[in-house]
Amino acid sequence: MTHSSFREHVLAVVRAIPRGSTMTYKAVAVAAGNPHAARAVGAIMKTNYDPNIPCHRVVRSDGTPGGYNRGSKRKRELLREEGGVVA
DNA sequence: GAGCTGACATGTT
DNA sequence: CAACATGCCAGCT
C-alpha cells in the first residue's frame, strides 16, 4: 500500500470487527498502528460516511456509545442486536 | 503553508 | 464520586 494512510487502516480494522463484538476507539487506534490516535479515529469515522464501516461497533473506553452518523440512538439499537449488551 | 476543530483517553483537582 | 484540564492525531478552512 503506497498511499496507506492511517485512516485507511482504521477503516479496514473497523470493517473487520466481527458481529457481536465491540472495540474501543483506543483499541482501533492501536490495531491501526497508532496507540495515541484515539481522537483521530473518531474524526475519521465522522469524515468517512462509508456503510461498509460498522462504526456503531466502535465505542469509547468507558463503554459509552459515543457518536454516530445516523444518531447515537440508532447505534444503541444496533449494539443491542449485535452486541447483545448495552452500557 | 498554517491554524482550528473534533464521534477520545488519562490524570488530577 | 464528578468535573476540569492536557495531550494526542487526522481532516477541513
Side-chain angles (χ1 to χ4, degrees), chain A residues 58-87:
Chain A
V58 185
V59 296
R60 289 180 57 161
S61 60
D62 304 276
T64 39
Y68 193 53
N69 320 75
R70 300 179 70 194
S72 23
K73 191 167 179 259
R74 185 69 176 179
K75 180 169 182 175
R76 219 160 54 180
E77 293 289 296
L78 288 163
L79 286 173
R80 197 171 86 143
E81 294 300 305
E82 299 183 6
V85 182
V86 187

Side-chain angles (χ1 to χ4, degrees), chain A residues 12-69:
Chain A
V13 172
V14 178
R15 188 170 45 175
I17 298 176
R19 180 190 169 283
S21 297
T22 49
M23 276 182 98
T24 67
Y25 288 95
K26 185 71 169 283
V28 175
V30 174
N34 283 21
H36 291 279
R39 202 173 228 204
V41 175
I44 289 161
M45 303 311 220
K46 191 175 90 154
T47 50
N48 192 87
Y49 285 71
D50 196 306
N52 302 310
I53 310 300
C55 17
H56 61 262
R57 288 184 195 157
V58 185
V59 296
R60 289 180 57 161
S61 60
D62 304 276
T64 39
Y68 193 53
N69 320 75

